[in-house]
DNA sequence: GATGAATGAGTTTTCATTCAT
DNA sequence: GATGAATGAAAACTCATTCAT
């Protein structure tokens, strides 16, 4: 008789809302996005998420299994949304420089619209936890690959093995420049996305163009 | 067999030296640097630091007051060492491009020599905790300022207010490119610092040079 | 990919049969037997049982009321099946020693055929939870009573009160020997039931026979 | 600043007792013995142990690492104490039957003196958790080995391989008889240890003696 | 000047059980 | 007659931090 966990009849039965699973999932993901953005992975607690969502913790665990998986999901979702948006805009153009510009604008517009998620991605929070590393790297690499692809399309060549290594390094460096500029942007929100894009293009395009030429002829 | 952390008979009890305060501080800071680098801020525990140092925790608290302050100290120290080294090398040159190259090489050499500390600075770990943000930003800004200074010296002009804003943004973007490339480097340690420096110069110099010209004439 | 227990579209939704209550009960009991045997009382979860049975948890609660009652039912059923089988074989014989031998063989054969249930009965798992004690004792006592009965039949006498106490203790001891040997058997499954029976008879019969004589004459 | 764990100055500073590590360990072990005996492994909570001991949980974790290890320690300690006591008494005698009797009495006396611990060993509680299996088996096997040893000494022979297998099985069966009788004893505490020992000897000795003869001559 | 012993407050996670549909 | 959604309670374990010696 000892140690039985008792029935514990629900107390606030009056305000319990029953949402369809998918809807609840979506709601939780959005709230989690925001919470992680605010507090970082370690600072965020499942308790707080539950209370913000107005549900009990088991609901969350039923949906996502663990804090870590929830976090990974948030990050991946955001990363993918970003990539899609950038990709879509890029595909609309043909001229290399114009494409990069379009992509850049899309990038900053996305951040603008998703302030919270943005933080999750690569803000100053502990977003770069070991567990997050994989996802963060995914995103950066995705951007990097997108650029590589564009370059290949543009130059119509595939770089040599050696050139490939350099190219990878450079595109990652470029991705880093974008991230870092994003952080600066947070404190200068009055600057429009187009401005940021143009600045970066002026900074990076000369070098990139030359790089493409070099590698194409190599 | 019974105790978890053992009856704690300090292993080197026989040779436990009563170190002068400054020496002990230095020893602790070095160990902390390493520990944070290995485990990240959250992963590192004061218990482990104490045991690695062979002292009891109160000693650490006596020296640094709190984990957070200890962490901040570590980060700041490393950042300053980096800046100093870069600065020193830069000052040896006069030609702008050569200066940037010298600074870049110094930067990567520093990282190479301080693998651990490097991680503390901006690696994939949770180094970017909210609490760390300030320090991380400090470092980036310091780099950025160094660049601004160089540019000013080089062009012999002070940019307009507007130009100043853009310049700041750009130098931060550049700093981001360096950081990001550093992460890539971790997986390609065979690439020599000079190579990295040259790659980055090829990528960034054209844009930077143009930028300087523009702003100088503005 | 999102949900932990999936959107729970019952896999065999197409063929979910509305089973008559008794059939469903039986099905659930069998699955529960197996589950408890595999995981022990604490390790088994109602969730898993429900999912193995392809029904929702309320169905189970409707049938059995609580985990505890379900467990008790499982144990009792197995215990009764065992007793019946042993009893049946014993009744086929007349000579005391032969009867014991027949019962013993039946006992081990039952275990052999019900590996899972056996574990539920008195294996090394947590089967002996406080809540289980009653049932476990029931089984042991049932065996013990069976033996007492046999002895009475055999000697044709009813022992004195004092003798009765001793007899009870002894038959329980014997039951313990059987259980313990069963555990050993798990690691030596190649030994046939008859062998086990003979070994035990050689060990116990001399003492038992003498005991019967003593008590009969007392 | 968010998420700091704050100092939390001790509240009941007035009644905090500081015990030397070894003393605290011993105290905790004793309380744990009792608690596990009362509630079983699953039923016992570290919280309750802590509150019974008048310390906070971290103290316990500092000493034993985990609930499981604490449990294992309790069980092993008790098992070893039992074995020692039995062994000591046995060694005082030379005649085989007398030795067994002496050991049996020691066995029941130990149980009598350690009611709590006894339950931990093999009572009806969930003592036979998978995690406990190893320890329980250890104890039973230790008893079994002790018997084997005695028999070898007595008969002056080493049984054949085949005989060895049978012997092992039989000694385990005997151990089971002891355990089971112990449980019965709980409800008949008025019966003296000597009585129990004599009953068991009458039951088992004839078979055991014969077994020894057989195996010795084999 | 340093230590061993201790603590309060949280954290993630799991489960039996039940309501609303 | 059955289900999906939800819950309250608690359990094990960790950590930065500090007092008493």
């Amino acid at each position: 008789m000892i140690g039985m966990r008792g029935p514990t009849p629900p107390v606030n039965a009056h305000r319990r809302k029953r949402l369809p699973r998918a809807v609840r999932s979506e709601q939780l993901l959005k709230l989690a996005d925001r919470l992680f953005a605010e507090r970082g992975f370690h600072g965020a607690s499942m308790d707080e998420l539950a209370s913000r969502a107005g549900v009990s913790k088991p609901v969350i665990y039923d949906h996502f299994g663990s804090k870590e998986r929830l976090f990974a999901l948030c990050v991946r979702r955001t990363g993918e949304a970003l990539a899609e948006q950038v990709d879509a805009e890029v595909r609309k153009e043909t001229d290399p420089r114009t494409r990069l510009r379009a992509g850049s604008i899309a990038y900053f517009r996305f951040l603008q619209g998703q302030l919270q998620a943005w933080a999750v991605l690569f803000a100053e929070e502990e977003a770069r936890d070991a567990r997050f590393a994989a996802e963060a790297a995914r995103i950066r690499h995705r951007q990097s690959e997108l650029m590589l692809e564009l370059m290949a399309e543009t130059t119509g060549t595939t770089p040599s093995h050696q050139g490939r290594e350099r190219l990878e390094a450079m595109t990652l460096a470029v991705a880093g420049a974008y991230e870092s500029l994003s952080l600066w942007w947070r404190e200068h929100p009055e600057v429009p996305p187009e401005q940021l894009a143009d600045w970066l293009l002026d900074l990076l395009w000369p070098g990139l163009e030359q790089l493409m030429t070099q590698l194409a002829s190599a």
Side-chain angles (χ1 to χ4, degrees), chain A:
Chain A
M1 286 288 152
I2 267 172
M4 296 191 52
R5 273 206 227 164
T8 321
V11 166
N12 19 350
H14 47 294
R15 56 151 96 176
R16 229 184 323 169
K17 287 182 192 169
R18 288 184 165 247
L19 298 183
R21 191 171 180 82
V23 177
R24 183 66 82 194
S25 256
E26 188 55 30
Q27 177 215 14
L28 290 173
L29 275 171
K30 267 180 189 144
L31 288 170
D33 254 344
R34 190 142 59 219
L35 183 61
F36 283 131
E38 282 174 26
R39 302 246 196 281
F41 179 76
H42 278 104
S45 92
M46 297 302 258
D47 256 317
E48 181 161 7
L49 177 55
S51 97
R52 285 192 185 186
V55 298
S56 63
K57 272 182 294 177
V59 173
I60 303 176
Y61 279 88
D62 182 35
H63 280 254
F64 308 108
S66 79
K67 187 185 184 184
E68 214 149 315
R69 290 212 347 219
L70 171 57
F71 185 64
L73 248 175
C74 286
V75 172
R76 186 164 306 185
R77 261 176 33 124
T78 304
E80 268 162 18
L82 169 58
E84 261 167 43
Q85 206 144 318
V86 169
D87 199 67
E89 292 303 313
V90 161
R91 299 278 168 228
K92 287 183 187 160
E93 305 292 335
T94 54
D95 170 62
R97 194 179 196 282
T98 315
R99 298 184 101 177
L100 182 53
R101 185 166 186 274
S104 302
I105 294 176
Y107 179 93
F108 290 112
R109 285 221 177 105
F110 181 89
L111 298 192
Q112 199 167 36
Q114 312 257 339
L115 268 207
Q116 340 93 316
W118 170 19
V120 173
L121 272 177
F122 43 70
E124 324 169 24
E125 301 290 325
E126 60 226 314
R128 305 200 179 188
D129 191 294
R131 284 158 288 193
F132 173 63
E135 289 301 332
R138 266 176 79 93
I139 293 170
R140 228 175 283 131
H141 276 93
R142 179 132 181 199
Q143 269 194 265
S144 150
E145 265 156 36
L146 182 54
M147 290 183 62
L148 292 176
E149 211 181 311
L150 288 180
M151 288 180 158
E153 276 183 34
T154 303
T155 62
T157 39
T158 314
S160 65
H161 173 72
Q162 205 197 5
R164 169 104 201 156
E165 185 177 45
R166 175 176 181 182
L167 213 43
E168 190 191 87
M170 289 306 96
T171 49
L172 282 173
V174 169
Y178 276 83
E179 287 185 24
S180 187
L181 182 55
S182 304
L183 295 180
W184 175 87
W185 195 25
R186 289 182 117 185
E187 279 136 41
H188 301 74
E190 73 286 356
V191 180
E194 292 79 7
Q195 177 72 282
L196 296 175
D198 284 331
W199 283 353
L200 273 178
L201 254 85
D202 283 351
L203 176 67
L204 299 170
W205 184 250
L208 281 173
E209 193 172 30
Q210 206 173 308
L211 185 64
M212 288 199 300
T213 319
Q214 261 181 57
L215 294 176
S217 66

